Amino acid sequence: MIVAILAGGLGTRLAEETEIRPKPMVEIGGKPILWHIMKIYAHYGFKDFVIALGYKGEHIKKYMVDCCSLTSDLTVDLRNGRVVRHEGNNLDWTVKLIDTGMKTQTGGRIKRLAPYLDGQTFMLTWGDGVADIDLNKLLAFHRSHGKLATLTAVRPPARYGHLELDGDSIIEFSEKPQTREGWINGAFFVLEPGVFDYIEGDDTQWEKEPLENLARDGQLKAFRHTSYWQCMDTLREKYILENYWNSGNAPWQVWKE
């Protein structure tokens, strides 16, 4: 099954990083967050990727082209430029890199990927969020209901601690009130080709009319993910992910090195 990843946005809320590279190339532990996302999918056997490029897409192209060399031992003959790759790289991924335009909205980017998705069920996510989601369970849930679209619903980590009050007495204090927050769109979709009929063109935002109309038509189901999920919209969130990774206990690292 093909995994589509949207990686073309401007990432304006992370401008400190995205002035020089696209947000999916912002590094966590020395690796782009895009790499972390792809590792999650690959762990569950989903290794065919189609990536929608836009803003500074050349950085992602260069990284993918160089990936084998950067993760392998090499012999370089400087006399003729011949490069021999030895052991080291163990990534058996196929990656299609598709330019979907600088100003194309999320829905438009998805529709532009249609020719590369083989007319089959496909997975979709954004290039800026990680989770310890069980993708096999997600796919099984999608196949069980027979609708066009499955969205992974998550409860976002709260920025501040939660206080439960009785008058002016604090009866409960929690630093991690994630389960008390409402459900939001955590991406990690499974979709049928019929969703393309809900996208008009480049100016369509996936999160607006397409999802709204899929829900209206009874074609959108929610897979509830109650464990770890984190997007990287801000520098603060980048630091959260970086600290987890440096601790050696990154919750989204479902794979074994």
Side-chain angles (χ1 to χ4, degrees), residues 1-3 41 44-46 120-124 133-147 149-152 188-192 223:
M1 182 174 292
I2 296 173
V3 179
Y41 279 98
Y44 288 97
F46 305 108
Q120 302 294 323
T121 306
F122 66 99
M123 292 187 168
L124 169 74
I133 183 171
D134 187 326
L135 294 169
N136 289 332
K137 289 183 179 179
L138 168 64
L139 181 57
F141 173 79
H142 176 77
R143 287 175 168 162
S144 73
H145 61 63
K147 304 300 182 181
T150 297
L151 171 158
T152 296
F188 291 97
F189 297 91
V190 184
L191 304 171
E192 299 298 327
F223 176 79

Side-chain angles (χ1 to χ4, degrees), residues 103-250:
K103 298 182 179 179
T104 308
Q105 297 297 319
T106 49
R109 293 192 194 281
I110 295 167
K111 193 155 190 172
R112 286 201 185 198
L113 294 182
Y116 306 94
L117 298 172
D118 298 339
Q120 302 294 323
T121 306
F122 66 99
M123 292 187 168
L124 169 74
T125 196
W126 312 152
D128 63 357
V130 292
D132 61 351
I133 183 171
D134 187 326
L135 294 169
N136 289 332
K137 289 183 179 179
L138 168 64
L139 181 57
F141 173 79
H142 176 77
R143 287 175 168 162
S144 73
H145 61 63
K147 304 300 182 181
L148 291 179
T150 297
L151 171 158
T152 296
V154 300
R155 284 179 164 129
R159 182 166 184 176
Y160 304 106
H162 176 81
L163 301 180
E164 190 74 26
L165 299 178
D166 181 6
D168 58 2
S169 295
I170 299 173
I171 59 175
E172 183 182 344
F173 178 87
S174 174
E175 276 295 331
K176 297 181 179 179
Q178 185 171 0
T179 58
R180 298 179 184 274
E181 300 297 316
W183 294 98
I184 66 167
N185 171 17
F188 291 97
F189 297 91
V190 184
L191 304 171
E192 299 298 327
V195 301
F196 296 122
D197 295 336
Y198 286 80
I199 303 172
E200 288 192 9
D202 283 356
D203 293 332
T204 303
Q205 293 186 37
W206 173 245
E207 304 88 339
K208 292 189 176 179
E209 287 85 358
L211 287 183
E212 291 170 359
N213 291 334
L214 282 163
R216 178 203 63 201
D217 294 346
Q219 292 294 328
L220 181 62
K221 292 288 188 177
F223 176 79
R224 289 180 175 87
H225 176 64
T226 58
S227 188
Y228 185 81
W229 174 89
Q230 179 67 63
C231 65
M232 188 187 67
D233 278 337
T234 65
L235 199 58
R236 173 185 171 272
E237 290 164 342
K238 175 194 181 313
Y239 292 150
I240 289 173
L241 295 174
E242 190 79 33
N243 289 336
Y244 265 126
W245 188 261
N246 291 338
S247 74
N249 293 301

